[in-house]
Amino acid sequence: SGTALVAGALAMRGAWTGPVAGPSPDNAKGFFENVRLRDVSEMALAKARYFGITADPLCLSVKVLEGFPIPDIREAVAAEIEAQGYVGGPWLYKDPRMAALWSVWAKAFPKAKWVVVERNIADTAASLRRASFSKDKPVDWEVWAMGMSGRLADLWNGVENKRYAVPDLIVAGNMAGFDRVTEWCGLEARPLNGFVDPLLWKGSGA
């Protein structure tokens, strides 16, 4: 859906990610997801009895629970990235369910900067249908993408410090907008040295 492309480009420009899962048949460049950090955050959320999210395959009914113990997830995440070797500077965390959990993370990290990937609904749904994890899920991914797009729009107004990144423009070589996002993140807008491969991109018209 373009999130790996944006996360990988930010990592190429200096964002700390910690150890991330490598390339796979679904993504030749890798997903740039820190699995250990995801597991730690899931345990903190489960401990807080937040994970009713799994009962909804579309992740559209997630609500911020009153009294959610935000320090738990913040402390767990901070301890994990330190254990992985983080010593300072911009760090990046990508999670395929971040749209469902955005408000939780935003409360845990009020000074964070959020990069939201903007892609049309048809291309997002097509990307999800191609993914191996979707093969056994009876989900209408276009409906899912429409619902998640609406949820992001609702969340957008309640979260500070956010910018859009458009992967189709990055692939096309139109880097001006992404360069501004990069610099806003406190990173240097340096060349991506072949990281972006248009032949791997399944965008509009592909």
Side-chain angles (χ1 to χ4, degrees), residues 45-126:
L45 289 166
K47 183 179 178 181
R49 299 180 182 276
Y50 193 80
F51 248 41
I53 175 178
T54 54
D56 177 5
L58 302 186
C59 300
L60 298 178
S61 63
V62 179
K63 304 292 183 183
V64 177
L65 303 185
E66 293 297 326
F68 179 77
I70 293 300
D72 280 5
I73 187 171
R74 181 182 178 88
E75 291 172 7
V77 169
E80 178 59 25
I81 65 173
E82 183 178 350
Q84 291 184 17
Y86 172 74
V87 294
W91 60 278
L92 178 156
Y93 176 65
K94 171 183 173 283
D95 188 323
R97 295 156 307 168
M98 184 55 81
L101 299 170
W102 189 11
S103 50
V104 172
W105 278 75
K107 285 190 174 184
F109 296 94
K111 295 181 180 179
K113 294 184 176 182
W114 303 95
V115 179
V116 179
V117 175
E118 185 176 41
R119 194 177 185 191
N120 72 57
I121 288 170
D123 285 348
T124 298

Side-chain angles (χ1 to χ4, degrees), residues 152-174:
L152 279 172
D154 291 341
L155 288 171
W156 182 265
N157 295 324
V159 176
E160 300 295 328
N161 299 325
K162 69 269 183 180
R163 295 286 189 278
Y164 278 117
V166 185
D168 283 299
L169 294 179
I170 297 172
V171 173
N174 184 348

